[in-house]
Amino acid sequence: MTNGKAVINQYLEMSSDMYEQIWDMWMSNRGILNRSQVQMSDFYRNYLDQAHQANSDNTRAYDDMVKRVMENQTQMLDFLDTSLKSVLKPVQFTGFECMNPFCKKSDE
């Protein structure tokens, strides 16, 4: 009987060691999964922060471009206004008559 008790004790000891190793393996895998989840969360947070920053930069650049276009357009209109006024200033329009045949028809 002592031989049977020894076998049972040996079996119980082996199964206890096996369960401890399985538990350690599960805990190790849980730690690995937890670290992976933290890394993925950090990765996506960084990605979203970079996307938000890029969007802000693009919006700022677009607004700056629109502002420059408006300033250039205003300068061009001022230049054309000044140029036309200086060119047409000496010309006097007295007794302007419409030479276009459509004007004559609309007057009738």
Side-chain angles (χ1 to χ4, degrees), residues 35-97:
R35 283 190 296 277
S36 297
Q37 181 181 4
V38 168
Q39 288 176 347
M40 290 301 290
S41 295
D42 290 343
F43 171 77
Y44 285 119
R45 187 176 303 111
N46 289 338
Y47 172 77
L48 290 174
D49 289 343
Q50 289 175 358
H52 178 69
Q53 183 65 36
N55 188 22
S56 297
D57 291 345
N58 288 341
T59 301
R60 196 175 310 114
Y62 179 77
D63 290 344
D64 187 44
M65 181 191 68
V66 168
K67 182 180 174 184
R68 287 182 187 176
V69 166
M70 290 175 67
E71 288 173 359
N72 290 345
Q73 185 178 10
T74 302
Q75 288 176 355
M76 181 63 84
L77 289 174
D78 289 344
F79 172 75
L80 286 173
D81 186 46
T82 306
S83 298
L84 287 175
K85 283 181 182 178
S86 66
V87 167
L88 297 176
K89 186 177 183 180
V91 176
Q92 303 255 337
F93 291 105
T94 57
F96 178 79
E97 294 180 16

